[in-house]
PDB file of all heavy atoms in Angstrom:
ATOM      1  N   SER A  79      25.148 -15.222  58.699  1.00 87.00           N
ATOM      2  CA  SER A  79      26.704 -15.377  58.757  1.00 87.00           C
ATOM      3  C   SER A  79      27.331 -14.017  59.008  1.00 87.00           C
ATOM      4  O   SER A  79      26.792 -13.074  58.822  1.00 87.00           O
ATOM      5  CB  SER A  79      27.095 -15.812  57.198  1.00 87.00           C
ATOM      6  OG  SER A  79      26.563 -14.889  56.258  1.00 87.00           O
ATOM      7  N   HIS A  80      28.671 -14.144  59.247  1.00 88.00           N
ATOM      8  CA  HIS A  80      29.384 -12.982  59.638  1.00 88.00           C
ATOM      9  C   HIS A  80      30.824 -13.121  59.277  1.00 88.00           C
ATOM     10  O   HIS A  80      31.396 -14.252  59.238  1.00 88.00           O
ATOM     11  CB  HIS A  80      29.278 -12.526  61.169  1.00 88.00           C
ATOM     12  CG  HIS A  80      29.642 -13.557  61.900  1.00 88.00           C
ATOM     13  ND1 HIS A  80      28.725 -14.594  62.592  1.00 88.00           N
ATOM     14  CD2 HIS A  80      30.871 -13.946  62.613  1.00 88.00           C
ATOM     15  CE1 HIS A  80      29.305 -15.400  63.324  1.00 88.00           C
ATOM     16  NE2 HIS A  80      30.720 -14.984  63.427  1.00 88.00           N
ATOM     17  N   THR A  81      31.446 -12.122  58.985  1.00 92.00           N
ATOM     18  CA  THR A  81      33.058 -12.158  58.730  1.00 92.00           C
ATOM     19  C   THR A  81      33.676 -11.267  59.575  1.00 92.00           C
ATOM     20  O   THR A  81      33.101 -10.309  60.324  1.00 92.00           O
ATOM     21  CB  THR A  81      33.252 -11.696  57.230  1.00 92.00           C
ATOM     22  OG1 THR A  81      32.751 -10.441  57.056  1.00 92.00           O
ATOM     23  CG2 THR A  81      32.536 -12.767  56.232  1.00 92.00           C
ATOM     24  N   PHE A  82      35.056 -11.438  59.744  1.00 95.00           N
ATOM     25  CA  PHE A  82      35.802 -10.507  60.582  1.00 95.00           C
ATOM     26  C   PHE A  82      36.982  -9.873  59.805  1.00 95.00           C
ATOM     27  O   PHE A  82      37.694 -10.615  58.995  1.00 95.00           O
ATOM     28  CB  PHE A  82      36.392 -11.354  61.718  1.00 95.00           C
ATOM     29  CG  PHE A  82      37.464 -10.650  62.413  1.00 95.00           C
ATOM     30  CD1 PHE A  82      37.224  -9.493  63.217  1.00 95.00           C
ATOM     31  CD2 PHE A  82      38.839 -11.021  62.501  1.00 95.00           C
ATOM     32  CE1 PHE A  82      38.166  -8.775  63.840  1.00 95.00           C
ATOM     33  CE2 PHE A  82      39.767 -10.353  63.133  1.00 95.00           C
ATOM     34  CZ  PHE A  82      39.405  -9.283  63.889  1.00 95.00           C
ATOM     35  N   ASP A  83      37.142  -8.685  59.928  1.00 97.00           N
ATOM     36  CA  ASP A  83      38.209  -7.827  59.261  1.00 97.00           C
ATOM     37  C   ASP A  83      39.272  -7.430  60.158  1.00 97.00           C
ATOM     38  O   ASP A  83      39.147  -6.420  60.843  1.00 97.00           O
ATOM     39  CB  ASP A  83      37.539  -6.688  58.568  1.00 97.00           C
ATOM     40  CG  ASP A  83      38.400  -5.831  57.657  1.00 97.00           C
ATOM     41  OD1 ASP A  83      39.667  -5.972  57.855  1.00 97.00           O
ATOM     42  OD2 ASP A  83      37.920  -5.151  56.716  1.00 97.00           O
ATOM     43  N   TRP A  84      40.291  -8.121  60.149  1.00 98.00           N
ATOM     44  CA  TRP A  84      41.423  -7.861  61.139  1.00 98.00           C
ATOM     45  C   TRP A  84      41.946  -6.492  60.874  1.00 98.00           C
ATOM     46  O   TRP A  84      42.273  -5.735  61.812  1.00 98.00           O
ATOM     47  CB  TRP A  84      42.545  -8.911  61.070  1.00 98.00           C
ATOM     48  CG  TRP A  84      43.698  -8.833  61.852  1.00 98.00           C
ATOM     49  CD1 TRP A  84      44.760  -7.930  61.785  1.00 98.00           C
ATOM     50  CD2 TRP A  84      44.088  -9.636  62.849  1.00 98.00           C
ATOM     51  NE1 TRP A  84      45.644  -8.021  62.778  1.00 98.00           N
ATOM     52  CE2 TRP A  84      45.310  -9.069  63.530  1.00 98.00           C
ATOM     53  CE3 TRP A  84      43.485 -10.670  63.613  1.00 98.00           C
ATOM     54  CZ2 TRP A  84      45.929  -9.720  64.563  1.00 98.00           C
ATOM     55  CZ3 TRP A  84      44.177 -11.217  64.713  1.00 98.00           C
ATOM     56  CH2 TRP A  84      45.334 -10.743  65.133  1.00 98.00           C
ATOM     57  N   GLY A  85      42.188  -6.202  59.714  1.00 98.00           N
ATOM     58  CA  GLY A  85      42.776  -4.820  59.256  1.00 98.00           C
ATOM     59  C   GLY A  85      41.992  -3.612  59.767  1.00 98.00           C
ATOM     60  O   GLY A  85      42.453  -2.556  60.215  1.00 98.00           O
ATOM     61  N   PHE A  86      40.578  -3.791  59.616  1.00 98.00           N
ATOM     62  CA  PHE A  86      39.759  -2.663  60.226  1.00 98.00           C
ATOM     63  C   PHE A  86      39.899  -2.632  61.709  1.00 98.00           C
ATOM     64  O   PHE A  86      40.028  -1.323  62.113  1.00 98.00           O
ATOM     65  CB  PHE A  86      38.309  -3.102  59.795  1.00 98.00           C
ATOM     66  CG  PHE A  86      37.287  -2.160  60.412  1.00 98.00           C
ATOM     67  CD1 PHE A  86      36.937  -1.027  59.469  1.00 98.00           C
ATOM     68  CD2 PHE A  86      36.759  -2.247  61.604  1.00 98.00           C
ATOM     69  CE1 PHE A  86      35.986  -0.039  59.878  1.00 98.00           C
ATOM     70  CE2 PHE A  86      35.815  -1.314  61.999  1.00 98.00           C
ATOM     71  CZ  PHE A  86      35.392  -0.279  61.191  1.00 98.00           C
ATOM     72  N   LEU A  87      39.869  -3.623  62.400  1.00 98.00           N
ATOM     73  CA  LEU A  87      39.865  -3.599  63.806  1.00 98.00           C
ATOM     74  C   LEU A  87      41.340  -2.974  64.226  1.00 98.00           C
ATOM     75  O   LEU A  87      41.424  -2.190  65.191  1.00 98.00           O
ATOM     76  CB  LEU A  87      39.664  -4.996  64.527  1.00 98.00           C
ATOM     77  CG  LEU A  87      39.831  -4.890  66.024  1.00 98.00           C
ATOM     78  CD1 LEU A  87      38.772  -3.998  66.643  1.00 98.00           C
ATOM     79  CD2 LEU A  87      39.521  -6.288  66.623  1.00 98.00           C
ATOM     80  N   LYS A  88      42.284  -3.422  63.636  1.00 98.00           N
ATOM     81  CA  LYS A  88      43.724  -2.826  63.872  1.00 98.00           C
ATOM     82  C   LYS A  88      43.735  -1.444  63.658  1.00 98.00           C
ATOM     83  O   LYS A  88      44.297  -0.605  64.519  1.00 98.00           O
ATOM     84  CB  LYS A  88      44.872  -3.567  62.932  1.00 98.00           C
ATOM     85  CG  LYS A  88      46.138  -3.027  63.246  1.00 98.00           C
ATOM     86  CD  LYS A  88      47.247  -3.585  62.210  1.00 98.00           C
ATOM     87  CE  LYS A  88      48.574  -3.028  62.656  1.00 98.00           C
ATOM     88  NZ  LYS A  88      48.871  -1.623  62.698  1.00 98.00           N
ATOM     89  N   GLN A  89      43.139  -0.916  62.562  1.00 98.00           N
ATOM     90  CA  GLN A  89      43.175   0.431  62.364  1.00 98.00           C
ATOM     91  C   GLN A  89      42.449   1.282  63.371  1.00 98.00           C
ATOM     92  O   GLN A  89      42.810   2.363  63.850  1.00 98.00           O
ATOM     93  CB  GLN A  89      42.664   0.751  60.892  1.00 98.00           C
ATOM     94  CG  GLN A  89      42.592   2.220  60.380  1.00 98.00           C
ATOM     95  CD  GLN A  89      42.149   2.432  59.146  1.00 98.00           C
ATOM     96  OE1 GLN A  89      41.441   1.657  58.548  1.00 98.00           O
ATOM     97  NE2 GLN A  89      42.480   3.605  58.492  1.00 98.00           N
ATOM     98  N   ALA A  90      41.303   0.753  63.797  1.00 98.00           N
ATOM     99  CA  ALA A  90      40.438   1.492  64.741  1.00 98.00           C
ATOM    100  C   ALA A  90      41.242   1.440  66.067  1.00 98.00           C
ATOM    101  O   ALA A  90      41.239   2.454  66.982  1.00 98.00           O
ATOM    102  CB  ALA A  90      39.164   0.816  64.886  1.00 98.00           C
ATOM    103  N   ARG A  91      41.804   0.237  66.425  1.00 98.00           N
ATOM    104  CA  ARG A  91      42.485   0.153  67.665  1.00 98.00           C
ATOM    105  C   ARG A  91      43.714   1.078  67.828  1.00 98.00           C
ATOM    106  O   ARG A  91      43.919   1.877  68.860  1.00 98.00           O
ATOM    107  CB  ARG A  91      43.053  -1.344  67.741  1.00 98.00           C
ATOM    108  CG  ARG A  91      43.650  -1.717  69.148  1.00 98.00           C
ATOM    109  CD  ARG A  91      44.488  -2.868  68.929  1.00 98.00           C
ATOM    110  NE  ARG A  91      45.665  -2.667  68.150  1.00 98.00           N
ATOM    111  CZ  ARG A  91      46.169  -3.557  67.345  1.00 98.00           C
ATOM    112  NH1 ARG A  91      45.662  -4.777  67.153  1.00 98.00           N
ATOM    113  NH2 ARG A  91      47.302  -3.208  66.616  1.00 98.00           N
ATOM    114  N   ASP A  92      44.526   1.165  66.660  1.00 98.00           N
ATOM    115  CA  ASP A  92      45.559   2.049  66.728  1.00 98.00           C
ATOM    116  C   ASP A  92      45.270   3.464  66.868  1.00 98.00           C
ATOM    117  O   ASP A  92      45.847   4.247  67.381  1.00 98.00           O
ATOM    118  CB  ASP A  92      46.358   1.795  65.336  1.00 98.00           C
ATOM    119  CG  ASP A  92      47.166   0.487  65.301  1.00 98.00           C
ATOM    120  OD1 ASP A  92      47.132  -0.376  66.321  1.00 98.00           O
ATOM    121  OD2 ASP A  92      47.661   0.116  64.245  1.00 98.00           O
ATOM    122  N   GLY A  93      44.081   3.772  66.202  1.00 98.00           N
ATOM    123  CA  GLY A  93      43.583   5.234  66.307  1.00 98.00           C
ATOM    124  C   GLY A  93      43.231   5.482  67.647  1.00 98.00           C
ATOM    125  O   GLY A  93      43.531   6.592  68.307  1.00 98.00           O
ATOM    126  N   TYR A  94      42.669   4.560  68.437  1.00 98.00           N
ATOM    127  CA  TYR A  94      42.209   4.742  69.797  1.00 98.00           C
ATOM    128  C   TYR A  94      43.563   5.013  70.622  1.00 98.00           C
ATOM    129  O   TYR A  94      43.615   5.885  71.575  1.00 98.00           O
ATOM    130  CB  TYR A  94      41.417   3.508  70.278  1.00 98.00           C
ATOM    131  CG  TYR A  94      41.172   3.518  71.774  1.00 98.00           C
ATOM    132  CD1 TYR A  94      40.436   4.482  72.357  1.00 98.00           C
ATOM    133  CD2 TYR A  94      41.534   2.453  72.566  1.00 98.00           C
ATOM    134  CE1 TYR A  94      40.022   4.504  73.684  1.00 98.00           C
ATOM    135  CE2 TYR A  94      41.234   2.456  74.028  1.00 98.00           C
ATOM    136  CZ  TYR A  94      40.540   3.530  74.505  1.00 98.00           C
ATOM    137  OH  TYR A  94      40.224   3.539  75.873  1.00 98.00           O
ATOM    138  N   VAL A  95      44.509   4.164  70.421  1.00 98.00           N
ATOM    139  CA  VAL A  95      45.713   4.232  71.179  1.00 98.00           C
ATOM    140  C   VAL A  95      46.467   5.646  71.006  1.00 98.00           C
ATOM    141  O   VAL A  95      47.018   6.284  71.803  1.00 98.00           O
ATOM    142  CB  VAL A  95      46.794   3.040  70.807  1.00 98.00           C
ATOM    143  CG1 VAL A  95      48.088   3.340  71.474  1.00 98.00           C
ATOM    144  CG2 VAL A  95      46.173   1.754  71.290  1.00 98.00           C
ATOM    145  N   LYS A  96      46.480   6.044  69.714  1.00 98.00           N
ATOM    146  CA  LYS A  96      47.123   7.289  69.337  1.00 98.00           C
ATOM    147  C   LYS A  96      46.307   8.513  69.997  1.00 98.00           C
ATOM    148  O   LYS A  96      47.025   9.359  70.563  1.00 98.00           O
ATOM    149  CB  LYS A  96      47.066   7.441  67.843  1.00 98.00           C
ATOM    150  CG  LYS A  96      47.832   8.674  67.295  1.00 98.00           C
ATOM    151  CD  LYS A  96      47.852   8.830  65.859  1.00 98.00           C
ATOM    152  CE  LYS A  96      48.644   9.942  65.415  1.00 98.00           C
ATOM    153  NZ  LYS A  96      48.826  10.033  63.991  1.00 98.00           N
ATOM    154  N   ARG A  97      45.052   8.344  70.177  1.00 98.00           N
ATOM    155  CA  ARG A  97      44.322   9.335  70.932  1.00 98.00           C
ATOM    156  C   ARG A  97      44.808   9.362  72.453  1.00 98.00           C
ATOM    157  O   ARG A  97      44.856  10.367  72.988  1.00 98.00           O
ATOM    158  CB  ARG A  97      42.803   9.062  70.905  1.00 98.00           C
ATOM    159  CG  ARG A  97      41.920  10.224  71.385  1.00 98.00           C
ATOM    160  CD  ARG A  97      40.455  10.002  70.945  1.00 98.00           C
ATOM    161  NE  ARG A  97      39.912   8.927  71.458  1.00 98.00           N
ATOM    162  CZ  ARG A  97      39.291   8.762  72.563  1.00 98.00           C
ATOM    163  NH1 ARG A  97      39.295   9.844  73.399  1.00 98.00           N
ATOM    164  NH2 ARG A  97      38.627   7.681  72.899  1.00 98.00           N
ATOM    165  N   LEU A  98      44.934   8.334  72.998  1.00 97.00           N
ATOM    166  CA  LEU A  98      45.459   8.151  74.430  1.00 97.00           C
ATOM    167  C   LEU A  98      46.849   8.761  74.584  1.00 97.00           C
ATOM    168  O   LEU A  98      47.067   9.460  75.437  1.00 97.00           O
ATOM    169  CB  LEU A  98      45.362   6.728  74.924  1.00 97.00           C
ATOM    170  CG  LEU A  98      44.014   6.079  75.014  1.00 97.00           C
ATOM    171  CD1 LEU A  98      44.264   4.533  75.413  1.00 97.00           C
ATOM    172  CD2 LEU A  98      43.169   6.727  75.921  1.00 97.00           C
ATOM    173  N   ASN A  99      47.693   8.503  73.497  1.00 97.00           N
ATOM    174  CA  ASN A  99      48.970   9.082  73.541  1.00 97.00           C
ATOM    175  C   ASN A  99      48.922  10.685  73.646  1.00 97.00           C
ATOM    176  O   ASN A  99      49.630  11.279  74.432  1.00 97.00           O
ATOM    177  CB  ASN A  99      49.722   8.737  72.333  1.00 97.00           C
ATOM    178  CG  ASN A  99      50.086   7.375  72.166  1.00 97.00           C
ATOM    179  OD1 ASN A  99      50.156   6.691  70.991  1.00 97.00           O
ATOM    180  ND2 ASN A  99      50.253   6.568  73.335  1.00 97.00           N
ATOM    181  N   GLY A 100      47.901  11.230  72.744  1.00 97.00           N
ATOM    182  CA  GLY A 100      47.739  12.540  72.831  1.00 97.00           C
ATOM    183  C   GLY A 100      47.125  13.161  74.211  1.00 97.00           C
ATOM    184  O   GLY A 100      47.640  14.265  74.619  1.00 97.00           O
ATOM    185  N   ILE A 101      46.297  12.344  74.839  1.00 97.00           N
ATOM    186  CA  ILE A 101      45.693  12.779  75.994  1.00 97.00           C
ATOM    187  C   ILE A 101      46.879  12.894  77.095  1.00 97.00           C
ATOM    188  O   ILE A 101      46.962  13.858  77.946  1.00 97.00           O
ATOM    189  CB  ILE A 101      44.581  11.851  76.394  1.00 97.00           C
ATOM    190  CG1 ILE A 101      43.400  12.098  75.448  1.00 97.00           C
ATOM    191  CG2 ILE A 101      44.240  12.136  77.875  1.00 97.00           C
ATOM    192  CD1 ILE A 101      42.307  10.952  75.709  1.00 97.00           C
ATOM    193  N   TYR A 102      47.790  11.799  77.067  1.00 97.00           N
ATOM    194  CA  TYR A 102      48.848  11.850  78.052  1.00 97.00           C
ATOM    195  C   TYR A 102      49.714  12.974  77.843  1.00 97.00           C
ATOM    196  O   TYR A 102      50.199  13.685  78.706  1.00 97.00           O
ATOM    197  CB  TYR A 102      49.741  10.591  77.822  1.00 97.00           C
ATOM    198  CG  TYR A 102      49.251   9.487  78.711  1.00 97.00           C
ATOM    199  CD1 TYR A 102      48.553   8.192  78.143  1.00 97.00           C
ATOM    200  CD2 TYR A 102      49.320   9.430  80.089  1.00 97.00           C
ATOM    201  CE1 TYR A 102      48.162   7.353  78.872  1.00 97.00           C
ATOM    202  CE2 TYR A 102      49.002   8.214  80.854  1.00 97.00           C
ATOM    203  CZ  TYR A 102      48.355   7.217  80.231  1.00 97.00           C
ATOM    204  OH  TYR A 102      47.906   6.264  80.982  1.00 97.00           O
ATOM    205  N   ALA A 103      50.058  13.417  76.615  1.00 96.00           N
ATOM    206  CA  ALA A 103      50.848  14.482  76.235  1.00 96.00           C
ATOM    207  C   ALA A 103      50.305  15.819  76.585  1.00 96.00           C
ATOM    208  O   ALA A 103      50.910  16.626  77.193  1.00 96.00           O
ATOM    209  CB  ALA A 103      51.323  14.549  74.769  1.00 96.00           C
ATOM    210  N   THR A 104      48.840  15.917  76.480  1.00 97.00           N
ATOM    211  CA  THR A 104      48.281  17.261  76.857  1.00 97.00           C
ATOM    212  C   THR A 104      48.367  17.174  78.370  1.00 97.00           C
ATOM    213  O   THR A 104      48.548  18.450  78.841  1.00 97.00           O
ATOM    214  CB  THR A 104      46.843  17.042  76.412  1.00 97.00           C
ATOM    215  OG1 THR A 104      46.861  17.044  74.962  1.00 97.00           O
ATOM    216  CG2 THR A 104      46.087  18.307  76.655  1.00 97.00           C
ATOM    217  N   ASN A 105      48.068  16.298  79.078  1.00 96.00           N
ATOM    218  CA  ASN A 105      48.007  16.313  80.468  1.00 96.00           C
ATOM    219  C   ASN A 105      49.330  16.604  81.136  1.00 96.00           C
ATOM    220  O   ASN A 105      49.482  17.364  82.105  1.00 96.00           O
ATOM    221  CB  ASN A 105      47.458  14.853  81.095  1.00 96.00           C
ATOM    222  CG  ASN A 105      45.990  14.724  80.897  1.00 96.00           C
ATOM    223  OD1 ASN A 105      45.374  15.586  80.722  1.00 96.00           O
ATOM    224  ND2 ASN A 105      45.575  13.452  80.970  1.00 96.00           N
ATOM    225  N   VAL A 106      50.485  16.054  80.552  1.00 96.00           N
ATOM    226  CA  VAL A 106      51.811  16.268  81.006  1.00 96.00           C
ATOM    227  C   VAL A 106      52.026  17.791  80.857  1.00 96.00           C
ATOM    228  O   VAL A 106      52.645  18.548  81.658  1.00 96.00           O
ATOM    229  CB  VAL A 106      52.847  15.391  80.150  1.00 96.00           C
ATOM    230  CG1 VAL A 106      54.166  15.992  80.324  1.00 96.00           C
ATOM    231  CG2 VAL A 106      52.708  14.062  80.738  1.00 96.00           C
ATOM    232  N   ALA A 107      51.769  18.334  79.606  1.00 96.00           N
ATOM    233  CA  ALA A 107      52.133  19.790  79.365  1.00 96.00           C
ATOM    234  C   ALA A 107      51.281  20.665  80.291  1.00 96.00           C
ATOM    235  O   ALA A 107      51.663  21.676  80.827  1.00 96.00           O
ATOM    236  CB  ALA A 107      51.692  20.096  77.870  1.00 96.00           C
ATOM    237  N   LYS A 108      50.013  20.271  80.497  1.00 97.00           N
ATOM    238  CA  LYS A 108      49.067  21.068  81.303  1.00 97.00           C
ATOM    239  C   LYS A 108      49.489  21.182  82.751  1.00 97.00           C
ATOM    240  O   LYS A 108      49.355  22.162  83.504  1.00 97.00           O
ATOM    241  CB  LYS A 108      47.643  20.454  81.300  1.00 97.00           C
ATOM    242  CG  LYS A 108      46.490  21.297  81.864  1.00 97.00           C
ATOM    243  CD  LYS A 108      45.226  20.566  81.917  1.00 97.00           C
ATOM    244  CE  LYS A 108      44.846  20.121  80.319  1.00 97.00           C
ATOM    245  NZ  LYS A 108      43.593  19.477  80.303  1.00 97.00           N
ATOM    246  N   GLU A 109      50.331  20.153  83.234  1.00 96.00           N
ATOM    247  CA  GLU A 109      50.714  20.114  84.616  1.00 96.00           C
ATOM    248  C   GLU A 109      52.213  20.512  84.801  1.00 96.00           C
ATOM    249  O   GLU A 109      52.868  20.370  85.728  1.00 96.00           O
ATOM    250  CB  GLU A 109      50.498  18.745  85.206  1.00 96.00           C
ATOM    251  CG  GLU A 109      48.953  18.507  85.285  1.00 96.00           C
ATOM    252  CD  GLU A 109      48.627  17.044  85.813  1.00 96.00           C
ATOM    253  OE1 GLU A 109      49.501  16.540  86.557  1.00 96.00           O
ATOM    254  OE2 GLU A 109      47.619  16.571  85.523  1.00 96.00           O
ATOM    255  N   ASN A 110      52.800  21.115  83.639  1.00 96.00           N
ATOM    256  CA  ASN A 110      54.110  21.672  83.601  1.00 96.00           C
ATOM    257  C   ASN A 110      55.230  20.730  83.775  1.00 96.00           C
ATOM    258  O   ASN A 110      56.256  20.996  84.436  1.00 96.00           O
ATOM    259  CB  ASN A 110      54.188  22.839  84.667  1.00 96.00           C
ATOM    260  CG  ASN A 110      53.319  23.973  84.376  1.00 96.00           C
ATOM    261  OD1 ASN A 110      53.222  24.496  83.260  1.00 96.00           O
ATOM    262  ND2 ASN A 110      52.557  24.473  85.433  1.00 96.00           N
ATOM    263  N   VAL A 111      54.963  19.518  83.310  1.00 98.00           N
ATOM    264  CA  VAL A 111      56.118  18.542  83.281  1.00 98.00           C
ATOM    265  C   VAL A 111      56.644  18.572  81.854  1.00 98.00           C
ATOM    266  O   VAL A 111      55.908  18.550  80.906  1.00 98.00           O
ATOM    267  CB  VAL A 111      55.534  17.155  83.529  1.00 98.00           C
ATOM    268  CG1 VAL A 111      56.586  15.983  83.246  1.00 98.00           C
ATOM    269  CG2 VAL A 111      54.891  16.974  84.861  1.00 98.00           C
ATOM    270  N   GLU A 112      57.878  18.706  81.736  1.00 97.00           N
ATOM    271  CA  GLU A 112      58.528  18.749  80.540  1.00 97.00           C
ATOM    272  C   GLU A 112      58.860  17.467  79.900  1.00 97.00           C
ATOM    273  O   GLU A 112      59.446  16.632  80.573  1.00 97.00           O
ATOM    274  CB  GLU A 112      59.896  19.520  80.597  1.00 97.00           C
ATOM    275  CG  GLU A 112      60.558  19.808  79.119  1.00 97.00           C
ATOM    276  CD  GLU A 112      61.731  20.766  79.259  1.00 97.00           C
ATOM    277  OE1 GLU A 112      61.803  21.519  80.102  1.00 97.00           O
ATOM    278  OE2 GLU A 112      62.486  20.714  78.270  1.00 97.00           O
ATOM    279  N   TYR A 113      58.318  17.160  78.695  1.00 97.00           N
ATOM    280  CA  TYR A 113      58.515  15.963  78.090  1.00 97.00           C
ATOM    281  C   TYR A 113      59.786  15.910  77.140  1.00 97.00           C
ATOM    282  O   TYR A 113      59.722  16.769  76.171  1.00 97.00           O
ATOM    283  CB  TYR A 113      57.211  15.556  77.200  1.00 97.00           C
ATOM    284  CG  TYR A 113      57.231  14.393  76.327  1.00 97.00           C
ATOM    285  CD1 TYR A 113      58.222  13.282  76.405  1.00 97.00           C
ATOM    286  CD2 TYR A 113      56.366  14.588  75.124  1.00 97.00           C
ATOM    287  CE1 TYR A 113      58.201  12.269  75.627  1.00 97.00           C
ATOM    288  CE2 TYR A 113      56.491  13.316  74.244  1.00 97.00           C
ATOM    289  CZ  TYR A 113      57.394  12.294  74.459  1.00 97.00           C
ATOM    290  OH  TYR A 113      57.395  11.252  73.620  1.00 97.00           O
ATOM    291  N   VAL A 114      60.664  15.167  77.338  1.00 97.00           N
ATOM    292  CA  VAL A 114      61.951  15.089  76.720  1.00 97.00           C
ATOM    293  C   VAL A 114      62.000  13.807  75.819  1.00 97.00           C
ATOM    294  O   VAL A 114      61.922  12.741  76.459  1.00 97.00           O
ATOM    295  CB  VAL A 114      63.213  15.261  77.524  1.00 97.00           C
ATOM    296  CG1 VAL A 114      64.495  15.176  76.689  1.00 97.00           C
ATOM    297  CG2 VAL A 114      63.164  16.404  78.390  1.00 97.00           C
TER     298      VAL A 114
END
C-alpha cells in the first residue's frame, strides 16, 4: 500500500521553483541586466 502527501509535494515543488527564480536573478545580474 502507499499514500500520497499533497502538502509535501507542494513544499518541495515550491522550493524548486524558488531556486529557479534565484538562478534567473543571478544570471541577469551576472550579465549586467538591471532588474527593476
Side-chain angles (χ1 to χ4, degrees):
S79 62
H80 57 269
T81 59
F82 169 65
D83 187 335
W84 181 287
F86 178 90
L87 181 57
K88 179 186 185 299
Q89 185 177 16
R91 185 199 71 216
D92 291 353
Y94 175 60
V95 169
K96 188 173 182 179
R97 185 165 67 86
L98 292 178
N99 296 147
I101 291 171
Y102 272 108
T104 297
N105 287 340
V106 163
K108 191 182 298 182
E109 296 179 27
N110 296 316
V111 174
E112 183 168 341
Y113 169 29
V114 181

